[in-house]
Amino acid sequence: MTEAAPRLVARDRPDLILGDHGLCPGCGEPLALRILLEVLEELDIVRRSVGVVGHGCYGSFVQIMDVEVLQCLHGRAPSCATGIKRVRPGTVVFTMQGDGDMVNEGLQEVLHTAARGENVTCVLLNNGVFGDTGGHQTATTVVGQRTKTSLDGRDPETHGYPIPLAELVASLAGVCYVARGAVSSAGGVARTKRMLRSAFEHQLAGDGFGLVEILTMCPTGWFVPAGSGPQYLTSSLEAAYPLGELPLRGQP
Amino acid sequence: MSRGTVSIDVERCKDCDLCVQACPPKVLEMSAEVNEMGYRFPVLHDGCTGCTACQLVCPDYVFQVYRFDVAPDEPHPPGQAAAPDG
């Protein structure tokens, strides 16, 4: 009997990813990049899309993502996205920023952009460390998390408390969609992709500001083996930052 | 009997082990040998269902997942993925 030809059900990566990235084993950011670009492909908005990328490990993605990209100053992506969207209202504008970029360097940019209700989509890749510059503590490092600058774990007495950005943005008027996903499991990746799709659909409908926070693994910055990243994410970050779509101000 | 199979780009793999943990039927195993970069890589045993979990969690875009509409007579030898064109 002849063997039936196998049918391709999942490609390794979309055509929009042009080559290999140089990030650490077990990193969650390439997963976020893949699902983001898959959503652009599925919604057929690649030709209209402009990505605004901040600074961090994911900054190297500008060399391999086949989408119009602006890499701007540290933390200023939402402001640059505002400019692009206002000058070219027909474009679909998204930002890709890490927690160090969005919550430390650019906290006011994202909050003001959200409060103005700009019709852009911001994507926060949150792993609780400044991975690119060596793994320092960021504003989203959860209490007890070890980083290079909090080797005994983040202590609120000394370091203060983390900033839950998604909750902060969800409390502002002008915001149409806020969700938090995690790429620590197959189901989590699929759910996060649906969140990104919803955020882009809201932007296409002109509803206002959208934010998708994606909890990503950083085994290097967390001092855990690459394979233990998902377990660490679940026990630390996910415990402090609950997943799901967040209720918005004025909505039940 | 395998309902699906995967092609594995071993040279792209960085030995993070996420696919082995994510695989529901537990048919992926890390190799004993290493690739050009010095990393171990996953090998596939019989029993793949083509569920795409490995492809979903792979940060290095190593997997392509295929399903058999008609199950093949012979299971693939352990550790060897089917050629994409059948």
Side-chain angles (χ1 to χ4, degrees), chain A residues 128-180:
Chain A
V129 290
F130 276 107
D132 198 23
T133 45
H136 326 308
Q137 176 189 288
T138 71
T140 65
T141 300
V142 297
V143 172
Q145 183 182 334
R146 292 178 68 222
T147 68
K148 294 265 174 63
T149 50
S150 59
L151 282 170
D152 297 323
R154 182 172 191 160
D155 175 17
E157 293 267 315
T158 318
H159 306 114
Y161 289 93
I163 299 173
L165 186 83
E167 279 82 355
L168 208 55
V169 168
S171 69
L172 299 169
V175 177
C176 71
Y177 185 81
V178 181
R180 183 186 284 125

Side-chain angles (χ1 to χ4, degrees), chain B:
Chain B
M1 186 63 75
S2 301
R3 279 183 280 151
T5 190
V6 295
S7 71
I8 302 171
D9 187 343
V10 298
E11 291 307 328
R12 215 183 271 164
C13 181
K14 291 181 191 154
D15 188 14
C16 68
D17 209 39
L18 296 185
C19 53
V20 174
Q21 297 172 31
C23 180
K26 303 283 173 212
V27 292
L28 287 169
E29 187 189 28
M30 294 314 281
S31 65
E33 63 266 44
V34 296
N35 62 16
E36 276 296 300
M37 293 190 288
Y39 291 116
R40 297 179 308 157
F41 50 86
V43 291
L44 180 69
H45 296 297
D46 287 342
C48 177
T49 59
C51 71
T52 76
C54 54
Q55 183 267 348
L56 281 169
V57 300
C58 179
D60 295 295
Y61 318 133
V62 164
F63 296 95
Q64 294 219 97
V65 184
Y66 300 84
R67 275 184 208 150
F68 298 108
D69 291 324
V70 179
D73 294 340
E74 295 283 325
H76 300 292
Q80 190 183 329
D85 56 3

Side-chain angles (χ1 to χ4, degrees), chain A:
Chain A
M1 253 177 91
T2 54
E3 190 175 300
R7 177 168 51 90
L8 180 65
V9 288
R11 298 188 53 202
D12 50 356
R13 54 182 174 181
D15 287 332
L16 295 175
I17 298 178
L18 300 173
D20 295 336
H21 60 79
L23 302 195
C24 307
C27 181
E29 290 178 353
L31 296 170
L33 174 72
R34 193 190 69 221
I35 54 177
L36 176 69
L37 295 182
E38 281 174 356
V39 166
L40 296 184
E41 256 183 3
E42 286 169 16
L43 292 173
D44 197 20
I45 51 175
V46 177
R47 300 287 295 271
R48 296 162 57 193
S49 295
V50 182
V52 187
V53 181
H55 284 277
C57 300
Y58 55 89
S60 63
F61 293 158
V62 298
Q63 296 162 359
I64 60 165
M65 56 194 282
D66 194 10
V67 179
E68 296 292 341
V69 167
L70 169 72
Q71 191 159 30
C72 55
L73 290 174
H74 204 1
R76 313 298 169 228
S79 300
C80 295
T82 299
I84 295 167
K85 189 73 181 184
R86 288 195 174 195
V87 172
R88 294 272 182 93
T91 51
V92 177
V93 186
F94 64 92
T95 73
M96 185 159 63
Q97 303 173 266
D99 48 318
D101 188 86
M102 187 186 277
V103 188
N104 279 75
E105 304 293 334
L107 183 60
Q108 63 149 345
E109 317 282 328
V110 68
L111 289 181
H112 282 276
T113 305
R116 289 196 306 268
E118 300 291 346
N119 192 24
V120 298
T121 303
C122 287
V123 179
L124 166 61
L125 310 176
N126 185 0
N127 55 19
V129 290
F130 276 107
D132 198 23
T133 45
H136 326 308
Q137 176 189 288
T138 71
T140 65
T141 300
V142 297
V143 172
Q145 183 182 334
R146 292 178 68 222
T147 68
K148 294 265 174 63
T149 50
S150 59
L151 282 170
D152 297 323
R154 182 172 191 160
D155 175 17
E157 293 267 315
T158 318
H159 306 114
Y161 289 93
I163 299 173
L165 186 83
E167 279 82 355
L168 208 55
V169 168
S171 69
L172 299 169
V175 177
C176 71
Y177 185 81
V178 181
R180 183 186 284 125
V183 291
S184 52
S185 65
V189 173
R191 280 190 290 277
T192 308
K193 187 175 169 183
R194 284 200 291 276
M195 290 170 182
L196 283 169
R197 192 183 169 96
S198 299
F200 279 104
E201 282 169 350
H202 276 290
Q203 182 181 159
L204 289 168
D207 292 343
F209 183 86
L211 174 81
V212 179
E213 177 177 342
I214 304 176
L215 304 182
T216 58
M217 293 81 77
C218 181
T220 308
W222 295 345
F223 311 112
V224 298
S228 308
Q231 288 92 316
Y232 186 90
L233 188 150
T234 307
S235 63
S236 63
L237 268 77
E238 208 177 303
Y241 302 123
L243 305 184
E245 294 181 359
L246 274 69
L248 301 180
R249 181 183 167 172
Q251 291 182 11

